Amino acid sequence: MLEFGKLPALAELKTGLQACGIAAKMDIHFERVFGTNRRTGRVNEGQATQPLPARLWRSWLDFPSRPNLTLTSPNRRWTMCTTCGCGQTTDQVQTIQAAPASKEVVMRGLLAENDHQAAHNRAHLDACGVFAINLMSSPGAGKTSLLEATIEALKGELGIAVIEGDLETENDAERIRAKGVPAIQITTGTACHLDAQLVHRALHRLDLQGIDLIFIENVGNLVCPASFDLGQHRNVTLLSVPEGDDKPAKYPVMFRASDLILCTKADLLPFMTEFAPQRAEQHLRVLANAAPFLLVSARQPETLTSWLQWLRDELRAQRERLHAGHTTRPNLQGLSEPQADREGAIPGHTHGPRHAHV
């Protein structure tokens, strides 16, 4: 039995839950899977001290070994992601719950399962001759606006499809469909990133015949998306002028994982003189990332020339690789195993019975 008084982080967590109107009695089910140490405990009643709702979703970080926490009340259930504390997707929860007791699932097991599914996704895309790009950025950096401008510029030249990721609403997917392009909306609920299983399901809903490029617009977040392989071939990260030029220094994992950085909303540079593109690029180079750094604005089509040419060049290079029996994968920061050469032979693409793509 666990006592809140002996575990300050849990005491704070319960206090925060009570402050949010959730019943005082609850079960905290946590997985500590290091070797064979796997326990499930029912938490005793504790003494409420001071409401701390602002820190509610971060308090688990103070707990020794940072276990995965599933919180249940009579009406609600949350599972906190071991990457950042966000809500996990249903597939991630099932992966953790199904893991053998001896398996370290806190991160490695979860990512291993995701990487396996991502490789499956990439093999499927390769079989269809589709080049996939994962678009990442903070919320409001202009991903959807960039896609709209890109679709307009490449209309009649390349077949494009889009997978949209957001916590809620189909707003972005509707904007893309209005451009005459197929778009699948993924709503993650509380999860702050897409994962390979979610993308796999979206691919099942897309007819990839005649598609050359598929853009995966990830959930707006500069942390977790960099650690989850979705089956894409390249990562593109957007850094908007209003965010400030120090973002690569503040969020190094995301920018190390980038194959291309687009500095968006460049039309605002004359009005936001505190943003120095050279300084932003220098922060990127300090991370030992030689990826191209391009200034673009969705409102100024002439600024998209280099971006559009990059897409054409990458698509042509991928077709050459596929013709030679090879493929490529993006720069990733969260693989469950050490990252090998990014280019290699195309793995086999198989499905079990009753499992087929459109």
Side-chain angles (χ1 to χ4, degrees), residues 81-98:
C81 171
T82 51
T83 306
C84 68
C86 75
Q88 289 178 329
T89 66
T90 301
D91 298 299
Q92 291 171 348
V93 173
Q94 292 173 348
T95 297
I96 291 173
Q97 292 176 340

Side-chain angles (χ1 to χ4, degrees), residues 3-15 59 62-64:
E3 295 181 7
F4 274 116
K6 296 181 180 179
L7 297 171
L10 290 180
E12 178 180 295
L13 182 61
K14 182 175 181 180
T15 301
S59 60
D62 299 325
F63 190 88

Side-chain angles (χ1 to χ4, degrees), residues 130 154 156-161 181-182 210-215 315 319:
V130 178
L154 296 176
E157 179 182 348
L158 297 175
I160 296 175
V181 166
I211 299 299
D212 301 297
L213 289 173
I214 184 165
F215 292 99
L315 179 58
R319 286 172 173 169

Side-chain angles (χ1 to χ4, degrees), residues 3-249:
E3 295 181 7
F4 274 116
K6 296 181 180 179
L7 297 171
L10 290 180
E12 178 180 295
L13 182 61
K14 182 175 181 180
T15 301
L17 289 170
Q18 290 173 324
C20 292
I22 300 172
K25 286 187 176 182
M26 69 195 77
D27 292 334
I28 296 187
H29 172 78
F30 65 93
E31 315 256 7
R32 289 186 62 189
V33 192
F34 298 94
T36 58
N37 184 11
R38 181 174 181 167
R39 299 184 297 167
T40 298
R42 180 177 293 276
V43 182
N44 291 336
E45 296 254 4
Q47 296 296 320
T49 54
Q50 181 180 356
L52 297 170
R55 298 181 61 191
L56 171 61
W57 303 111
R58 304 298 298 180
S59 60
W60 69 282
L61 288 171
D62 299 325
F63 190 88
S65 302
R66 295 171 58 184
N68 181 75
L69 295 178
T70 299
L71 309 182
T72 61
S73 75
N75 301 316
R76 299 185 182 183
R77 177 184 176 90
W78 299 266
T79 301
M80 293 184 177
C81 171
T82 51
T83 306
C84 68
C86 75
Q88 289 178 329
T89 66
T90 301
D91 298 299
Q92 291 171 348
V93 173
Q94 292 173 348
T95 297
I96 291 173
Q97 292 176 340
S102 61
K103 186 177 181 182
E104 181 182 350
V105 299
V106 174
M107 271 301 288
R108 186 171 295 275
L110 183 61
L111 286 175
E113 180 66 24
N114 184 81
D115 293 345
H116 175 77
Q117 181 62 65
H120 175 91
N121 293 350
R122 192 156 31 247
H124 174 61
L125 292 166
D126 289 341
C128 296
V130 178
F131 189 66
I133 296 173
N134 181 23
L135 286 181
M136 302 180 290
S137 78
S138 62
K143 295 187 296 295
T144 309
S145 295
L146 175 71
L147 285 178
E148 290 175 317
T150 302
I151 290 167
E152 286 292 335
L154 296 176
K155 187 179 298 183
E157 179 182 348
L158 297 175
I160 296 175
V162 177
I163 295 174
E164 291 283 353
D166 277 303
L167 271 67
E168 295 293 346
T169 83
E170 287 217 3
N171 294 351
D172 290 349
E174 290 172 356
R175 288 171 59 181
I176 298 300
R177 293 176 194 136
K179 295 291 182 180
V181 166
I184 302 297
Q185 180 71 57
I186 299 173
T187 52
T188 63
T190 59
C192 63
H193 55 82
L194 295 179
D195 63 30
Q197 186 62 242
L198 292 173
V199 171
H200 177 254
R201 291 175 181 171
L203 289 173
H204 271 276
R205 298 170 58 193
L206 280 171
D207 183 358
L208 297 180
Q209 185 174 359
I211 299 299
D212 301 297
L213 289 173
I214 184 165
F215 292 99
I216 304 170
E217 183 179 335
N218 218 313
V219 178
N221 180 1
L222 284 177
V223 183
C224 294
S227 297
F228 285 82
D229 188 0
L230 308 178
Q232 76 275 24
H233 299 98
R234 290 289 182 262
N235 286 331
V236 174
T237 301
L238 278 60
L239 166 64
S240 68
V241 170
E243 293 177 72
D245 55 30
D246 60 349
K247 283 298 181 289

Side-chain angles (χ1 to χ4, degrees), residues 252-325:
V253 174
M254 173 64 69
F255 286 91
R256 284 196 191 101
S258 304
D259 298 296
L260 173 71
I261 291 83
L262 296 177
C263 185
T264 58
K265 306 186 181 182
D267 54 303
L268 296 178
L269 283 172
F271 311 100
M272 304 191 73
T273 56
E274 65 273 22
F275 187 100
Q278 299 84 354
R279 191 159 54 235
E281 185 173 0
Q282 180 57 35
H283 287 311
L284 180 68
R285 303 307 171 214
V286 168
L287 301 177
N289 190 341
F293 182 91
L294 305 177
L295 294 172
V296 298
S297 171
R299 296 184 177 184
Q300 298 174 337
E302 66 276 10
T303 67
L304 301 178
T305 302
S306 296
W307 156 241
L308 299 174
Q309 191 57 49
W310 183 87
L311 291 173
R312 296 184 185 101
D313 293 343
E314 287 289 334
L315 179 58
R316 181 174 60 253
Q318 176 65 359
R319 286 172 173 169
E320 292 174 355
R321 282 188 291 265
L322 292 176
H323 182 72

